[in-house]
Amino acid sequence: MHAPMPKIAPADLDSLFARADKLLDQYPKSFAKAKALLQEVLTAQPDHLEALHALNWAYERDRDHAPGEWQSRLQEPQRAVRGRILELTKKVKADGGDTVAHRARALALAQQAENILRTDPTPARLKQAEELLAESQSLDADRPEQRRAERGVMAWKAIHRARKGKPDAYQVLLDWVAENPRPSPFHPDDHASAFRGLEGAFADEGFLEWLRARKPRAAKGQRAKDLVQGMLHVGDWDVSAELKGPVTTPCRVGRLLALRALGANLDFKVGGKSLLERAKKLGDKALVRELEALSGEKPDAKGKAPTTKKSKAAK
């Protein structure tokens, strides 16, 4: 039998957490060490709320800077940490306080709301996401992570309206891209062009069909340049080794079609490679099929170009 691990004195636990907290400010140099120290704290005291909140925040930074690693290895550990925070803080009220409990719950609620919006939410689930976001904002109204859920709620509300026989509701999403012609996963969440939160909505098939039916606008000058930059983000999201990919994202086709509808030119090269060649490098089969159909190069796997398919909503 293994001898039980010696208990860590409260003063030593506080010192351990303080070291970890200081190291979190030194990203990325000391991030791994900081997380290891936080895990030590939580091994000794599983309900240490400050350590749970700090670790949840650290996982969020991993998602920002190493999305491939986060998707493959860190997403589930973060989900467990988030669930524990929500359980420990369920009695926290919106009383104007600014405690660790308020901040930890606000972040966890915003994440929970966004998690619902990553895939197609039922009307009931969309309402639940709205309620989670509202509670998060009542506890700490200025978290940048809340912007993701705000964008997601906006997008899915438009999609639900379109599904009820009002296809013009999709225009809200195209207007968002028109206002933010360089939608990017690289911008901070409080940046106008930040895209996260919209991934699920931009993979919705009804929206894609509606976009395919749009006649591209004419774009000139700075707008044309901005649209090219947006298109570069579509074709270069996880090519960089720094992102520790591959990064799975279902929304590239939607972003491509939205930018095309606004007048983006698909015939450009970066580093000698076309957008189609870059899509093949990404290994995104759906994006490759879409680009091939748009260029008329060859039909998709079913022998039919996607542009010929129309839903009731698109009509």
Side-chain angles (χ1 to χ4, degrees), residues 126-146:
L126 179 56
K127 182 179 179 182
Q128 182 187 6
E130 281 192 273
E131 291 170 349
L132 290 167
L133 175 59
E135 185 184 349
S136 173
Q137 292 169 327
S138 73
L139 293 168
D140 185 356
D142 196 29
R143 294 211 65 93
E145 296 86 0
Q146 292 164 346

Side-chain angles (χ1 to χ4, degrees), residues 263-282:
N265 183 0
L266 276 61
D267 298 324
F268 66 91
K269 291 191 176 184
V270 178
K273 292 186 180 297
S274 68
L275 190 58
L276 178 57
E277 288 170 322
R278 294 169 76 83
K280 289 178 179 177
K281 183 177 179 181
L282 285 169

Side-chain angles (χ1 to χ4, degrees), residues 37-59:
L37 291 174
L38 290 171
Q39 293 287 7
E40 282 190 52
V41 173
L42 291 169
T43 297
Q45 188 177 324
D47 291 345
H48 192 295
L49 186 58
E50 279 188 291
L52 285 165
H53 177 47
L55 187 57
N56 188 27
W57 180 88
Y59 282 138

Side-chain angles (χ1 to χ4, degrees), residues 118-226:
R118 283 184 204 159
T119 54
D120 193 342
T122 63
R125 290 282 280 168
L126 179 56
K127 182 179 179 182
Q128 182 187 6
E130 281 192 273
E131 291 170 349
L132 290 167
L133 175 59
E135 185 184 349
S136 173
Q137 292 169 327
S138 73
L139 293 168
D140 185 356
D142 196 29
R143 294 211 65 93
E145 296 86 0
Q146 292 164 346
R147 306 295 89 79
R148 303 176 196 172
E150 289 172 359
R151 289 188 286 268
V153 166
M154 173 275 294
W156 283 113
K157 278 188 169 181
I159 288 171
H160 282 203
R161 288 196 298 272
R163 289 175 180 174
K164 291 180 179 179
K166 299 178 180 178
D168 287 347
Y170 289 129
Q171 187 66 43
V172 171
L173 299 184
L174 190 56
D175 289 345
W176 183 89
V177 180
E179 292 174 12
N180 305 280
R182 298 169 64 177
S184 166
F186 303 114
H187 286 125
D189 289 304
D190 52 0
H191 191 284
S193 288
F195 185 80
R196 283 189 305 181
L198 293 170
E199 295 95 335
F202 272 69
D204 178 73
E205 188 58 36
F207 180 45
L208 298 186
E209 292 175 10
W210 183 84
L211 286 172
R212 289 178 183 122
R214 300 303 93 197
K215 182 179 179 181
R217 305 177 192 173
K220 298 179 180 179
Q222 187 58 46
R223 169 49 62 92
K225 293 178 181 178
D226 287 341

